[in-house]
């Protein structure tokens, strides 16, 4: 299929190399039909917001047919839109409008597991042990007398055991919820099915895929016991010794070398289509050179760089993450990506308001330390300003352009993340970053839905942060994001290279680098630092970033040197 070229795109590098990509979480972006759950027509009706934000592409989290036991990451049919979100015609309308606005569309691909309601899993349950139907998943006999013990000791990322027993005594593997059985990627039928799913969406005009749990598809053939903690955000690898790649000990369920053959094959499929179609790996893999294997020239185009995201408010740590990821990616000739928030982690406007931003990755509850909203937002704006100047592509998560905080006071009975239930409430889960967006300060559900319904309650603090309350207001977070993307484009930030500017980082806590003739300075220290005399301020993360020629704490600037 041939795509129309995006308007005014005259570059020779692929569009994704320096793209700003906005993550839309369909459940919570905008609800057109008033049932309290966002939908595709709602997204289409608000696409002008994305155009005014100046983003190059949008990535849609899953909107496929799903019982929603993991918010759509449990797919029952990969080619159908869930009626909660609309129809295929609604998807086409969304994609076509986005194209007209010059915004490309990326969809989520969830190949590690299906929903237990998928026709394949239902057939597997109905079939006998050893049948072809069971072989599409990872069914095994148990250990111990009568096979009553699970085949190995793996746990679920969401807490609890990683295996569930079916009535005939066999067990199936689910690295996530019990309703998300893992597929067997050694089975050619699984490979062929996903080839077809990928073509289905490419034929419908999508420009790329975000590949869920890209490091999980292939498991160690022996399914050996593993005593490590099976997690996503923290990564699930142990490293040691002088050579981090040689000494790397991958967990047996993640980052097995066999995954790369799958991505080489998918890259061939992308190559059948025009328009620089792409894939981005969601792979919580360490160290950086292992992650860079996913973006070798014949594999995926991008991988999320979570090393930067999990750093605290610490210039030295951020610099280490930048160096490590850029060096690893340069070694394979791939541009890097940057991201600070998504639907799985605490929003960075709240993370940076905690005493230790690295301490809570997945959820804050009412009984936990509460973030300092003021400091958190100041730091988030500063970190984003620095991030958007780094060479490579950047991902934004819906609502961060409004400065939304994590919702930390959600009542237990409103929470839907399976992590909450499977951990017995020990881990509050990710609902706090998934609360429906506030569009209009004075409207019911802050304009999220026409009826005022909202699948998660919105905090009162959302009123002041609603999009219409920030529209045209100088210094608002929304206007800052618009300025950042516009100036980034004008100054060609995101392209080219960067170099540390130690001469402008006089003390610990200051991050300074130059790129495309711009000096970027970020202050994570607790005192102000003198900026170079005569420098022209291009953009500051807050209106008062500079005081008497010095960069104040918790702020960042883009400067042009004299
Ligand atoms: C997605 C999560 C999801 C998990 C299982 C992840 O990495 O981003 O939201 O729960 O995969 O599909």
């Amino acid at each position: 299929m041939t795509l129309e070229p995006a308007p005014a795109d005259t570059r020779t590098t692929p569009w994704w190399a320096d793209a700003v990509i906005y993550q839309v979480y369909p459940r919570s972006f905008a609800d057109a039909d008033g049932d309290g759950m966002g939908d595709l027509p709602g997204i289409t009706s608000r696409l002008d917001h994305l155009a005014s934000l100046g983003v190059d592409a949008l990535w849609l989290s899953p909107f496929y047919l799903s019982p929603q036991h993991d918010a759509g990451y449990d797919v029952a049919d990969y080619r159908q839109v869930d009626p909660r979100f609309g129809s295929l015609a609604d998807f086409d309308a969304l994609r076509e409008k986005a194209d007209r606005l010059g915004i490309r569309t990326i969809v989520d691909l969830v190949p590690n597991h299906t929903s237990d309601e998928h026709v394949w899993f239902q057939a597997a349950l109905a079939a006998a042990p050893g049948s072809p139907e069971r072989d599409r998943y990872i069914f095994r006999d148990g250990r111990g007398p009568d096979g009553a013990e699970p085949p190995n000791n793996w746990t679920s990322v969401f807490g609890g055991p990683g295996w569930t027993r079916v009535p005939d005594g066999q067990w199936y593997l689910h690295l996530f919820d019990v309703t998300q059985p893992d597929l067997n990627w050694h089975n050619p039928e699984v490979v062929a099915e996903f080839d077809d799913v990928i073509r289905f969406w490419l034929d419908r005009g999508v420009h790329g895929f975000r590949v869920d749990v890209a490091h999980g598809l292939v498991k160690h053939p022996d399914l050996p016991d593993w005593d490590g903690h099976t997690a996503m955000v923290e990564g699930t690898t142990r490293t040691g010794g002088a050579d981090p790649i040689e000494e790397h000990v991958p967990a047996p369920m993640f980052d097995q070398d066999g995954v790369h053959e799958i991505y080489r094959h998918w890259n061939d499929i992308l190559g059948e289509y025009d328009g620089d179609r792409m894939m981005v790996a969601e792979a919580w893999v360490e160290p950086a050179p292992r992650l860079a294997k996913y973006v070798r020239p014949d594999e995926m185009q991008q991988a999320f760089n979570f090393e930067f995201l999990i750093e605290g408010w610490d210039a030295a740590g951020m610099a280490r993450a930048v160096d490590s990821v850029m060096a690893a990616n340069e070694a394979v000739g791939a541009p890097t990506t940057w991201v600070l928030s998504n639907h799985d982690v605490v929003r960075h406007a709240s993370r940076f308001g905690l005493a230790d931003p690295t301490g809570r990755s997945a959820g804050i509850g009412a009984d936990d330390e509460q973030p300092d909203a003021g400091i958190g937002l100041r730091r988030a704006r500063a970190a984003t300003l620095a991030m958007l100047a780094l060479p490579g592509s950047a991902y934004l998560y819906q609502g961060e352009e409004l400065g939304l905080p994590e919702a930390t006071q959600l009542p237990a009975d409103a929470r839907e993340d399976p992590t909450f239930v499977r951990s017995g409430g020990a881990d509050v889960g990710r609902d706090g970053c998934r609360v429906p967006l506030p569009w209009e300060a004075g409207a019911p559900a802050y304009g999220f839905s026409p009826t005022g319904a909202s699948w998660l309650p919105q905090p009162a603090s959302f009123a002041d942060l609603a999009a219409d309350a920030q529209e045209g207001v100088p210094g608002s977070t929304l206007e800052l994001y618009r300025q950042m993307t516009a100036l980034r484009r004008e100054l060609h930030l995101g392209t080219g290279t960067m170099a540390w500017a130690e001469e402008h980082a006089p003390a610990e806590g200051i991050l300074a680098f130059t790129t495309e003739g711009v000096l970027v300075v970020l202050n994570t220290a607790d005192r102000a630092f003198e900026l170079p005399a005569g420098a022209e301020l291009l953009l500051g993360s807050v209106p008062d970033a500079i005081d008497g020629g010095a960069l104040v704490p918790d702020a960042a600037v883009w400067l042009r040197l004299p």
Side-chain angles (χ1 to χ4, degrees), residues 70 73 113 158 176 210 212-213 232 282 343-344 430:
D70 184 21
Y73 283 94
H113 44 263
F158 293 156
F176 295 89
R210 175 263 189 193
D212 190 59
V213 197
M232 292 284 278
E282 186 227 15
H343 67 293
D344 289 329
R430 303 159 292 177

Side-chain angles (χ1 to χ4, degrees), residues 468-500:
D468 72 342
Q470 301 193 43
E471 181 72 43
V473 177
S476 70
T477 305
L478 177 58
E479 293 303 335
L480 171 69
Y481 269 71
R482 289 175 174 158
Q483 284 176 301
M484 289 192 291
T485 53
L487 206 50
R488 172 183 159 100
R489 190 173 295 222
E490 187 185 320
L491 301 173
H492 307 290
L493 303 180
T495 65
T497 56
M498 55 85 71
W500 295 118

